[in-house]
């Protein structure tokens, strides 16, 4: 799980520090902020796999932040778990209706928290039981930073590895060059869109050596898709 990044948004210092400690002990990489505004800044500068979001935040509430993020194309697939002291059924339903992927009522045990995070990550395709992603005979091992086809290693750059990791985590979906730049390179980095094309060509050339270049498909007028189906 060391390749998975969790953004903690919690305004109470003691709880935020406890969450960071629990997550780091479970080998997650953790970013921690105290408000919705700081969360926005962190999302602009970092790739995040899941948000652990307190419902009651100063200013913009966690529930409102979740609703806004889930309405934006760039974040609608980003898993969000709401943390709250509100245990009423109505509140839980509201949290799920605004798009949250799960809901944890305080107080909770560290074991429950990690189990819930793993379950959400697994449903979103960001975590497998083995820590590997496999599509057909193509396997990506994020912890070993290794990409193989039928057991044979592929020599790819760190950027191309991240690009493949994003594609394999989100198969059969079409992504624009802008979205790929945001997800793989980060929103704070200015890079021209044609840079995506350059790395796609390199990946296809590498995959072509194994007869798998058709895995990365061009969708004319929009962008690219990773799929076993032509």
């Amino acid at each position: 799980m060391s390749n998975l990044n969790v953004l903690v948004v919690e305004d109470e210092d003691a709880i935020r520090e406890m969450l960071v400690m629990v997550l780091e002990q479970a080998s997650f990489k953790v970013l921690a902020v105290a408000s919705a505004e700081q969360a926005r800044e962190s999302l602009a500068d970092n790739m995040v796999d899941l948000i652990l979001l307190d419902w009651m935040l100063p200013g913009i509430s966690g529930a409102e932040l979740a609703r806004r993020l889930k309405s934006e194309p760039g974040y609608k697939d980003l898993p969000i778990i709401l943390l709250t002291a509100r245990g009423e059924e109505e509140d839980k339903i509201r949290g799920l209706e605004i798009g949250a992927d799960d809901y944890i009522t305080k107080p909770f045990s560290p074991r429950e928290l990690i189990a819930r995070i793993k379950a959400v990550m697994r449903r979103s395709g960001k975590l497998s039981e083995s820590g590997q992603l496999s599509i057909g005979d193509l396997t990506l091992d994020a912890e070993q930073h290794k990409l193989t086809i039928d057991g044979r290693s592929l020599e790819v750059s760190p950027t191309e590895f991240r690009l493949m990791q994003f594609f394999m985590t989100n198969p059969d979906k079409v992504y624009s060059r802008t979205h790929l730049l945001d997800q793989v390179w980060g929103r704070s980095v200015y890079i021209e869109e044609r840079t995506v094309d350059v790395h796609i060509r390199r990946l296809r050339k590498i995959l072509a050596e194994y007869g798998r270049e058709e895995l990365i498909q061009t969708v004319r007028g929009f962008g690219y898709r990773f799929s076993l189906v032509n």
Side-chain angles (χ1 to χ4, degrees), residues 24 66 109 116 138 143 151 163 167 173 183 199 217 221 230:
E24 287 183 341
S109 71
R116 294 287 192 96
L138 183 65
E143 293 191 3
L163 187 57
F167 274 141
K173 297 177 183 178
Q183 294 298 315
H199 284 282
Q217 302 159 10
N230 289 320

Side-chain angles (χ1 to χ4, degrees), residues 23-120:
L23 291 169
E24 287 183 341
Q25 286 178 346
S27 299
F28 288 102
K29 294 179 181 177
V30 187
L31 301 163
V33 298
S35 69
E37 292 81 1
Q38 291 175 358
R40 279 288 194 181
E41 293 172 6
S42 188
L43 286 169
D45 294 332
N46 301 279
M47 286 182 65
V48 171
D49 296 297
L50 178 141
I51 302 178
L52 206 53
L53 180 60
D54 184 41
W55 183 301
M56 299 297 289
L57 292 172
I60 299 170
S61 71
E64 177 60 18
L65 176 61
R67 187 192 67 76
R68 294 182 187 181
L69 289 173
K70 288 296 186 177
S71 69
E72 299 175 20
Y75 295 112
K76 66 182 179 65
D77 294 325
L78 178 60
I80 296 175
I81 297 178
L82 281 172
L83 301 175
T84 179
R86 304 154 68 106
E88 291 81 4
E89 185 178 3
E90 262 185 43
D91 292 326
K92 292 181 180 180
I93 292 171
R94 185 185 164 204
L96 296 173
E97 283 180 344
I98 62 179
D101 297 84
D102 203 353
Y103 184 109
I104 303 180
T105 304
K106 301 174 183 176
F108 49 83
S109 71
R111 286 182 64 189
E112 180 190 5
L113 175 66
I114 297 304
R116 294 287 192 96
I117 289 175
K118 286 182 178 180
V120 169

Side-chain angles (χ1 to χ4, degrees), residues 67-210:
R67 187 192 67 76
R68 294 182 187 181
L69 289 173
K70 288 296 186 177
S71 69
E72 299 175 20
Y75 295 112
K76 66 182 179 65
D77 294 325
L78 178 60
I80 296 175
I81 297 178
L82 281 172
L83 301 175
T84 179
R86 304 154 68 106
E88 291 81 4
E89 185 178 3
E90 262 185 43
D91 292 326
K92 292 181 180 180
I93 292 171
R94 185 185 164 204
L96 296 173
E97 283 180 344
I98 62 179
D101 297 84
D102 203 353
Y103 184 109
I104 303 180
T105 304
K106 301 174 183 176
F108 49 83
S109 71
R111 286 182 64 189
E112 180 190 5
L113 175 66
I114 297 304
R116 294 287 192 96
I117 289 175
K118 286 182 178 180
V120 169
M121 291 283 204
R122 215 171 278 123
R123 289 199 300 271
S124 69
K126 294 180 181 292
L127 178 69
S128 66
E129 293 291 350
S130 65
Q132 297 181 339
L133 291 169
S134 293
I135 294 180
D137 58 2
L138 183 65
T139 300
L140 184 144
D141 187 323
E143 293 191 3
Q144 300 281 333
H145 210 269
K146 193 174 181 181
L147 186 65
T148 61
I149 287 182
D150 198 21
R152 295 170 291 177
S153 293
L154 279 62
E155 296 297 324
V156 295
S157 70
T159 298
E160 289 151 12
F161 186 88
R162 290 197 306 273
L163 187 57
M164 283 298 295
Q165 185 175 15
F166 178 77
F167 274 141
M168 292 178 68
T169 302
N170 303 279
D172 302 312
K173 297 177 183 178
V174 182
Y175 291 100
S176 67
R177 291 167 179 82
T178 300
H179 191 89
L180 290 171
L181 281 174
D182 287 347
Q183 294 298 315
V184 178
W185 281 263
R187 292 176 176 82
S188 62
V189 180
Y190 176 74
I191 298 175
E192 293 185 1
E193 288 188 1
R194 63 186 178 195
T195 300
V196 175
D197 300 329
V198 171
H199 284 282
I200 292 289
R201 282 198 299 271
R202 288 179 183 169
L203 275 176
R204 278 182 174 153
K205 186 176 180 181
I206 293 168
L207 291 170
E209 296 176 17
Y210 301 87

